Amino acid sequence: MQYNADSPEDYISQVPEDRQNALKKLRKTINDNLPKGFEEGIIYKMIGYYVPHSVYPDGYHCDPKTPLPFMSFASQKNSVNLYHSGIYAKKELHDWFVNEYPKHSSRKLDMGKSCIRFKKVDEIPFELIGELTRKMTCDEWIDIYESAIKK
């Protein structure tokens, strides 16, 4: 589902009430662990974390007016989805997450290339998401991104 929100608070206020506390906790978890350099805002109609133009003036190569995306989350019809570009771009990070996930959840990992789906909001592994958020610095993300687009 898409929400037309102007801020993360506005976004959370629009999702179904039974998901609002989980999204507030997810947002707090990410903000408490987000490395310096990234900013929070609304990007692609989701709560997102990105490299602002003040740090990376070139922006996202598909649309240079957009800051360089890093991670985001959204309330979808059947799940809360966390999108993390670093998991897709860095195999070691992906492998670490896949190996750690069973230590934090009894549910089977439901994951695409950069999307992690949580169908039960009361079982989101917040501690693991905090660890994941800390695993990649802003500078490291820029380096990985630049290496990928220059290929």
Side-chain angles (χ1 to χ4, degrees):
M1 298 179 64
Q2 289 190 349
Y3 300 95
N4 290 317
D6 296 324
S7 68
E9 296 83 5
D10 186 25
Y11 183 96
I12 292 171
S13 75
Q14 294 180 39
V15 303
E17 200 169 311
D18 62 333
R19 290 190 179 182
Q20 289 183 8
N21 285 336
L23 292 184
K24 286 176 186 175
K25 186 171 181 178
L26 182 55
R27 179 179 178 223
K28 180 174 177 14
T29 298
I30 293 169
N31 280 319
D32 286 352
N33 291 281
L34 194 66
K36 185 180 176 185
F38 293 110
E39 285 186 5
E40 177 192 55
I42 298 294
I43 188 167
Y44 303 114
K45 298 190 178 223
M46 298 181 274
I47 297 175
Y49 303 87
Y50 49 83
V51 183
H53 285 105
S54 61
V55 174
Y56 191 72
D58 291 350
Y60 186 44
H61 73 279
C62 293
D63 179 5
K65 293 178 192 161
T66 302
L68 179 60
F70 176 60
M71 64 187 291
S72 57
F73 66 89
S75 178
Q76 303 294 355
K77 182 177 180 181
N78 296 312
S79 59
V80 168
N81 294 355
L82 176 71
Y83 304 89
H84 193 290
S85 298
I87 277 184
Y88 176 69
K90 185 176 179 185
K91 184 179 180 340
E92 298 88 354
L93 186 59
H94 172 273
D95 294 347
W96 170 85
F97 186 83
V98 169
N99 288 327
E100 284 295 311
Y101 185 84
K103 299 173 188 175
H104 297 266
S105 179
S106 60
R107 297 209 163 267
K108 182 181 176 200
L109 178 58
D110 185 356
M111 184 174 171
K113 290 184 178 184
S114 70
C115 173
I116 307 155
R117 291 172 284 278
F118 302 105
K119 292 190 173 135
K120 301 279 186 186
V121 296
D122 57 334
E123 296 182 20
I124 294 173
F126 295 105
E127 184 180 318
L128 179 61
I129 292 169
E131 288 180 54
L132 174 63
T133 303
R134 288 190 305 270
K135 287 270 182 195
M136 187 173 286
T137 67
C138 187
D139 288 339
E140 183 181 8
W141 174 235
I142 291 169
D143 288 345
I144 289 169
Y145 172 75
E146 286 184 339
S147 295
I149 63 170
K150 289 179 183 174
K151 286 184 178 179

